[in-house]
Amino acid sequence: MTDAIDRRLMLMGGAVAGLALGGKAVAQRLPPPSAVDTGRVEGGKVAFPEWRGEADPKSAPPPAPLPPERRVGFAVVALGRLTLEELLPAFAECKNAKLVALVSGSPDKLRTVAAQYGIAPDQCYDYAGFDRLRDNPAVQAVYIVLPNGMHREYVERAARAGKHVLCEKPMANSSAEARSMIAACAKANVKLMIAYRIQYEPYNQRARRFVQEGTFGRLVGATMTNTQTVAPDGAQQWRHKKALAGGGTLPDIGLYLVNTARFLTGQEPVEVFARQYSPPGDPRYAEVEETVAFTMRFPSEFMAQCLTSYGARDDKAQVLNFARATVQMPSAYRYRGQELYVAQNVGGADVRQQVNIPPKNQFAAEIDHMADCIIADRRPRTPGEEGLQDHVVMEAIYESAQTGRPVALKRYDGIDVFRGPMPTT
């Protein structure tokens, strides 16, 4: 029986390392690995030759994270839903950044989250002790995730502490606050970036390429929608307090429409026209608005028709109307799950095709971009000036809604006048 097994294994080539056949060691007969399998090192990164045929999509290069000691250390300020559900998990996918400190006003939550993410007690701060970050060399940047009305105070305190700042959108409660934040960071010689995750998301980046490269001709118009509903007791949320939120649906989720239209075209709107509505007697809208519908006109005569509301079922769709195609993005502003469809004439037939792009964590991408800008001393793609311009546009939208008339905006020539260089990561 043993001899029969030995013969079968020998016929198979003896391809099991270290296997003893009949009490004798049999040498391996495996072929040497090829260069396609082993890859090569180029510029400190591992690269593999393409192994797929021409009919298949090409493989993405393997991740190339920086060693932990070279990554930029971030302190995340505020442990709300966005931080716990999206931002802290995103650090696990970062290549240039790492989480090193936490700031919270809730001691129990701070201890719990710190334990979950391996943050030592001496790297945990309350708001009163926030300025002690100045003495922590492990923290090179802070990520401000507080309610909008608190952004200015903590961005300016971070700047005085000598830390670079990544700040959630909207940047502040007003253009005046945004200007103060920009000035404070410039005075302290620290970088200020606003967390416009959509500009780092692959599907929206592809849509921008369609516009910038003229793939389907001129971009004529767009329909952009960002709506969601609020619980009956929503009046208790900070988003419904004007002092904390600065406004209602417009600065919260309508901002995505303003910024994405500007990002896709690279242009700045020259005119806005708006209407707003809030249900009478609803305590949720005693201080802020429920719904805003607005149109933005751009120098190229591109028109963006926008709707944002807390009163309509969740919808985050974007439709771009080009001269020769319609691009549909049913989940354009979501945290994940983006899709892109192109409808056009192909050989005399009306064809709708889906474009598939490898997904990327939007939050990790924006955090890594900020880290890369710190390491390479570059201006961020979405600096404070980008956030300021959105406040200028939103203030014009509110003015139009109040007066019932179109509001003209300053005309800017050129593309991306408020943005830094394209991301390199």
Side-chain angles (χ1 to χ4, degrees):
M1 182 66 174
T2 301
D3 291 343
I5 294 174
D6 289 350
R7 283 194 298 274
R8 283 200 298 270
L9 288 171
M10 292 179 70
L11 289 172
M12 291 168 60
V16 180
L19 182 66
L21 301 180
K24 298 179 180 179
V26 177
Q28 286 185 330
R29 300 178 186 175
L30 298 173
S34 70
V36 172
D37 301 312
T38 60
R40 60 188 179 276
V41 176
E42 298 176 348
K45 299 179 181 180
V46 177
F48 291 95
E50 186 54 56
W51 64 281
R52 293 178 181 270
E54 293 184 359
D56 291 337
K58 305 309 177 190
S59 302
L66 290 175
E69 65 274 9
R70 291 180 54 197
R71 299 186 198 182
V72 173
F74 277 77
V76 175
V77 184
L79 302 180
R81 286 188 178 87
L82 181 64
T83 297
L84 297 186
E85 294 175 1
E86 302 295 340
L87 302 182
L88 298 190
F91 275 95
E93 299 184 49
C94 286
K95 298 181 294 183
N96 300 333
K98 59 185 177 182
L99 178 67
V100 298
L102 298 170
V103 181
S104 174
S106 303
D108 289 345
K109 183 165 59 173
L110 181 58
R111 283 191 295 269
T112 299
V113 175
Q116 291 170 344
Y117 285 89
I119 305 300
D122 62 353
Q123 300 295 312
C124 296
Y125 301 81
D126 59 16
Y127 295 122
F130 178 86
D131 300 317
R132 291 190 294 108
L133 285 170
R134 177 191 303 274
D135 303 318
N136 188 344
V139 175
Q140 297 165 267
V142 297
Y143 192 161
I144 307 294
V145 204
L146 290 157
N148 312 338
M150 301 174 71
H151 287 180
R152 175 183 176 179
E153 175 187 351
Y154 281 86
V155 166
E156 293 181 358
R157 288 173 70 178
R160 288 195 297 270
K163 306 302 180 182
H164 302 287
V165 185
L166 175 57
C167 180
E168 263 303 320
K169 45 68 46 193
M171 181 176 177
N173 273 4
S174 68
S175 60
E177 290 184 357
R179 288 187 176 92
S180 176
M181 295 156 68
I182 292 170
C185 290
K187 180 180 179 180
N189 195 30
V190 298
K191 300 184 189 302
L192 173 60
M193 172 177 153
I194 310 305
Y196 287 114
R197 60 181 175 81
I198 293 299
Q199 297 200 33
Y200 304 93
E201 190 281 312
Y203 281 90
N204 281 282
Q205 289 179 334
R206 179 64 59 86
R208 176 185 159 90
R209 280 175 48 194
F210 289 157
V211 179
Q212 299 300 317
E213 297 174 6
T215 307
F216 306 115
R218 181 171 71 93
L219 178 62
V220 176
T223 303
M224 311 175 84
T225 303
N226 200 350
T227 61
Q228 63 192 45
T229 57
V230 177
D233 62 349
Q236 305 304 313
Q237 297 180 20
W238 69 262
R239 285 180 174 83
H240 291 251
K241 307 296 183 183
K242 190 169 184 177
L244 287 174
T249 185
L250 179 60
D252 184 19
I253 57 177
L255 176 60
Y256 285 104
L257 315 181
V258 175
N259 190 260
T260 303
R262 295 177 52 238
F263 161 69
L264 293 174
T265 62
Q267 300 177 359
E268 299 304 324
V270 295
E271 183 182 73
V272 297
F273 180 69
R275 287 285 190 267
Q276 72 179 54
Y277 170 79
S278 295
D282 191 326
R284 295 174 295 181
Y285 307 109
E287 300 182 24
V288 301
E289 79 281 352
E290 180 212 57
T291 299
V292 184
F294 59 99
T295 301
M296 295 184 290
R297 182 170 66 87
F298 289 75
S300 63
E301 295 303 324
F302 161 68
M303 304 281 189
Q305 304 284 350
C306 305
L307 172 68
T308 184
S309 179
Y310 285 150
R313 183 185 179 276
D314 185 276
D315 188 5
K316 305 192 182 307
Q318 177 171 280
V319 178
L320 306 178
N321 301 105
F322 292 88
R324 298 193 302 273
T326 301
V327 172
Q328 300 166 324
M329 302 175 68
S331 304
Y333 318 120
R334 297 190 190 281
Y335 293 159
R336 57 187 60 81
Q338 276 73 19
E339 298 173 284
L340 191 154
Y341 300 88
V342 177
Q344 60 183 321
N345 178 10
V346 178
D350 190 16
V351 176
R352 182 175 183 263
Q353 299 170 306
Q354 183 172 7
V355 176
N356 292 306
I357 304 173
K360 180 188 292 185
N361 186 307
Q362 302 166 46
F363 298 101
E366 70 181 7
I367 294 168
D368 265 346
H369 175 65
M370 177 62 169
D372 181 62
C373 289
I374 293 170
I375 293 168
D377 193 21
R378 294 193 186 96
R379 186 178 186 226
R381 176 66 174 169
T382 51
E385 290 80 2
E386 175 79 345
L388 167 60
Q389 178 64 4
D390 276 339
H391 279 290
V392 171
V393 175
M394 288 190 294
E395 287 168 0
I397 290 171
Y398 277 133
E399 180 184 345
S400 177
Q402 291 166 2
T403 64
R405 296 190 298 270
V407 173
L409 290 158
K410 180 179 178 179
R411 188 184 186 102
Y412 292 92
D413 295 322
I415 298 295
D416 294 335
V417 295
F418 297 109
R419 300 184 183 95
M422 289 290 288
T424 59
T425 56

